[in-house]
Amino acid sequence: MSSSASPTAVTRADVSDYYGTVLSKTEDLKTNACETSSAPPEHIRECLKKIHPDVIAKYYGCGLTIPDLLDGLTVLDLGCGSGRDVYIASQLVGPAGRVIGVDMTDAGQLDVARRHEAHHASAFGYDAPNTAFRTGFIERLEELDLAPGSVDVIVSNCVINLSPDKEAVLRGCLRLLKPGGELYFSDVYSDRRVPKVLREDKTLWGECISGALYWNDFQNMARAVGFGDPRLVEDSVITVNNAALEKIMEPHRLRFFSATYRLFKIAELEPHCEDYGQAVVYKGTVPRHPASYVLDNHHEMETGRVFPVCGNTYRMLRDTRLAPHFDFIGTWDRHYGIYADCGNDIPFASAAPGDGGGGEGGCC
């Protein structure tokens, strides 16, 4: 049984209290699980300069969850907290776009985000805010009064692990996304299923550790819901950095990883990387990526170069907002079998050598 299907003593109220009361600022975190290890790119740093310090102070994220090509789109942020990523995305979608943040915690989180809406609209040069904040549960997105198929991109930063029903979160995302839309998110994963004794520890759960999904349960869950072929973008090891909590966890010999995935809503995606003799040519036109474009940790496509791809990668580029930036070569008329080395080992490149790291995802 997957860890997400097993009961836990940690409730939504416990999580809300942890982020609304126990934590008052980023420095209150007891581990490094909810911290972003890599520096943001330059354009994100520029966006951060315009965000109110009260919002920045309450950031609890583990990755970079803002994809490219957001201008004019509708973006939904799951577990938006005080709104840092909402206000980054607000600048990137522009005045014609819209960003919606949802969180279950008003006190100390949404209260802060809402308090500074007018400030940010003015700072971004907008006549009116292009943001909205909703109180709600990410596993009950159907209650948010958002129409099915109305969202272009869904982002989330180290929050889905906190949900008691992760499959419901993914189902809700699939329902809200437009065809060709994507869920682009960072979260925490384990190299094996987290035992019940750790899942019942409120601090470990609140620190985004004991609610983590075993990586293979996540990938199987995503496929079962309808997100075929989850693509890993980047990952890093979580070292916890808390002696007391490490002592509790040590007998279970678990390893945890922060990872960013992108899941596309494309019904025709196949379970594995099938070869149809297709290829793409990147035009070099995605802003800030003139030399190459990185789809995931297995696909960096140089500008002007013919790049062979599997059928799934072909669809992820052709049937999404990425299509104008590529030329497409080939048809579906002939199948050449599965791509070699399309394996099922632990996907994280940050796993130690010999552990099979990096074996999953796009492999063409």
Side-chain angles (χ1 to χ4, degrees):
M1 178 181 290
S2 72
S3 61
S4 66
S6 303
T8 173
V10 180
T11 66
R12 291 192 188 100
D14 293 325
V15 175
S16 186
D17 178 70
Y18 199 79
Y19 283 88
T21 304
V22 176
L23 302 179
S24 61
K25 56 186 183 302
T26 306
E27 290 76 17
D28 294 335
L29 289 165
K30 297 175 176 59
T31 72
N32 66 353
C34 292
E35 297 178 2
T36 304
S37 59
S38 57
E42 177 62 27
H43 73 290
I44 299 296
R45 291 199 295 271
E46 290 301 311
C47 289
L48 286 169
K49 291 177 182 178
K50 298 181 180 180
I51 297 178
H52 197 282
D54 289 353
V55 171
I56 297 290
K58 287 180 169 290
Y59 170 66
Y60 312 115
C62 62
L64 302 173
T65 62
I66 309 295
D68 294 305
L69 301 172
L70 296 183
D71 188 40
L73 301 188
T74 296
V75 176
L76 174 65
D77 183 5
L78 304 183
C80 65
S82 62
R84 192 201 80 151
D85 287 353
V86 168
Y87 289 124
I88 293 174
S90 169
Q91 297 172 71
L92 298 177
V93 302
R98 183 185 184 207
V99 187
I100 306 156
V102 58
D103 203 280
M104 67 178 180
T105 304
D106 284 309
Q109 293 291 296
L110 288 177
D111 289 350
V112 175
R114 291 171 176 141
R115 187 184 312 138
H116 298 294
E117 270 196 286
H119 165 87
H120 289 104
S122 176
F124 305 158
Y126 299 161
D127 293 334
N130 64 350
T131 55
F133 294 94
R134 309 280 182 85
T135 303
F137 302 114
I138 64 172
E139 60 272 7
R140 285 156 47 181
L141 295 175
E142 69 279 1
E143 298 178 356
L144 294 181
D145 194 29
L146 296 174
S150 63
V151 177
D152 296 288
V153 174
I154 298 176
V155 299
S156 185
N157 201 335
C158 205
V159 172
I160 296 177
N161 70 86
L162 297 170
S163 172
D165 190 347
K166 298 165 179 62
E167 186 172 335
V169 177
L170 297 182
R171 283 198 308 269
C173 290
L174 191 73
R175 173 181 171 273
L176 289 178
L177 283 170
K178 299 176 182 179
E182 73 167 315
L183 169 59
Y184 189 101
F185 72 110
S186 294
D187 221 297
V188 178
Y189 301 91
S190 57
D191 68 339
R192 61 191 71 183
R193 291 170 184 152
V194 180
K196 184 173 182 287
V197 65
L198 296 185
R199 294 200 310 274
E200 292 179 341
D201 188 297
K202 294 180 181 180
T203 299
L204 286 174
W205 191 283
E207 290 286 324
C208 301
I209 293 176
S210 61
L213 274 176
Y214 164 48
W215 69 267
N216 202 27
D217 284 341
F218 159 70
Q219 294 202 355
N220 290 333
M221 181 186 297
R223 292 187 176 100
V225 163
F227 285 113
D229 199 0
R231 292 297 176 93
L232 176 65
V233 178
E234 61 182 359
D235 62 88
S236 60
V237 174
I238 292 173
T239 54
V240 180
N241 288 348
N242 182 308
L245 294 178
E246 288 173 358
K247 185 175 182 180
I248 295 172
M249 296 165 56
E250 196 279 331
H252 306 282
R253 301 181 65 82
L254 286 153
R255 291 183 300 163
F256 293 90
F257 303 85
S258 170
T260 299
Y261 275 94
R262 61 194 318 175
L263 310 183
F264 289 96
K265 183 179 180 177
I266 302 173
E268 297 82 3
L269 293 180
E270 299 185 85
H272 297 287
C273 298
E274 303 292 346
D275 185 358
Y276 295 91
Q278 297 160 318
V280 300
V281 179
Y282 175 52
K283 299 177 182 179
T285 52
V286 175
R288 297 176 295 276
H289 301 284
S292 66
Y293 179 75
V294 176
L295 176 67
D296 55 50
N297 70 340
H298 279 62
H299 297 85
E300 181 175 4
M301 293 153 281
E302 291 183 72
T303 299
R305 184 175 184 177
V306 176
F307 190 91
V309 294
C310 70
N312 284 351
T313 299
Y314 191 90
R315 291 188 190 278
M316 290 175 188
L317 299 173
R318 188 197 65 177
D319 298 346
T320 69
R321 68 189 189 284
L322 298 170
H325 303 279
F326 289 86
D327 289 322
F328 297 89
I329 301 168
T331 67
W332 304 91
D333 294 342
R334 185 171 180 180
H335 179 231
Y336 297 93
I338 197 168
Y339 263 93
D341 301 321
C342 189
N344 292 288
D345 291 335
I346 186 169
F348 307 129
S350 54
D355 288 336
E360 184 63 44
C363 50
C364 43

